[in-house]
Amino acid sequence: MSHAYALNTVLDVYDAVYQTIEEVRNRDGGSDFKLGADCNGLLSYLTSYRFLMTALSFKKIFEILEPLTRTLQARDIDILAAMYLVNSAKESIVALRTEETFENIFILAKEFDDKYENEEFEPLRTTRKRKVRKMDGELCSDEVEQNPIQKFKVDTYFVALDIIKTQISQRFTNKTIEVMKDFALLSTKRIKALKKTLKAFL
């Protein structure tokens, strides 16, 4: 089971997942303190905007990476197609790193919240930005509250996309791609195609 499939399943049957955890907590949580605490933690996380924003962000990311993953894991891998998907995935990940895309994810989170009227989703928490300690004699400025949505965008969403882009670039350099293209000529599929082409000319 892929990460994308698991995530989509949780989002598609969210009600059932929540109710199952709640039932386990109510039935066994009283006698098993650790189980009860784990269930409460999961329920708290599942009813938070941190969960919604994270899940919906990675849903978009997995939609880009899943075709590439399937191609790279195929038994009879088409290397040329895989290299095309690598470049395509890198470009698509970069395209996600926009204010507009993030706003769209936030809108989807609010729509998900509205869909489950019986659940109250905890908003992202406001945190205070720590200031660098002032030297002796300097006046210490007040701490500034950070917008939680902007903080999530910068510290989580953008960071995740940057890491993914960096990992793709490091794993598939131009030199690596050229070598893999050469290996593609030795694949069974390419050899059969070449053989068929040669027969047509004979």
Side-chain angles (χ1 to χ4, degrees), residues 27-52:
R27 185 188 62 202
D28 303 322
S31 57
D32 189 332
F33 177 78
K34 184 178 184 306
L35 176 64
D38 288 343
C39 288
N40 282 328
L42 283 172
L43 293 174
S44 176
Y45 181 62
L46 286 173
T47 51
S48 69
Y49 263 81
R50 174 160 291 279
F51 162 72
L52 292 181

Side-chain angles (χ1 to χ4, degrees), residues 1-14:
M1 179 188 297
S2 68
H3 291 89
Y5 182 83
L7 176 59
N8 287 331
T9 300
V10 170
L11 293 175
D12 290 341
V13 295
Y14 174 85

Side-chain angles (χ1 to χ4, degrees), residues 3-4 8 15 17 33 39 43 47-51 57 61 69 80 97 101 103 108 118 122 153 159 166 178 183:
H3 291 89
N8 287 331
D15 249 347
V17 172
F33 177 78
C39 288
L43 293 174
T47 51
S48 69
Y49 263 81
R50 174 160 291 279
F51 162 72
S57 295
I61 291 171
T69 301
L80 292 180
R97 202 183 187 284
T101 303
E103 285 297 324
L108 291 174
N118 295 331
E122 180 186 3
K153 179 184 68 178
V159 168
T166 300
E178 290 304 317
F183 273 114

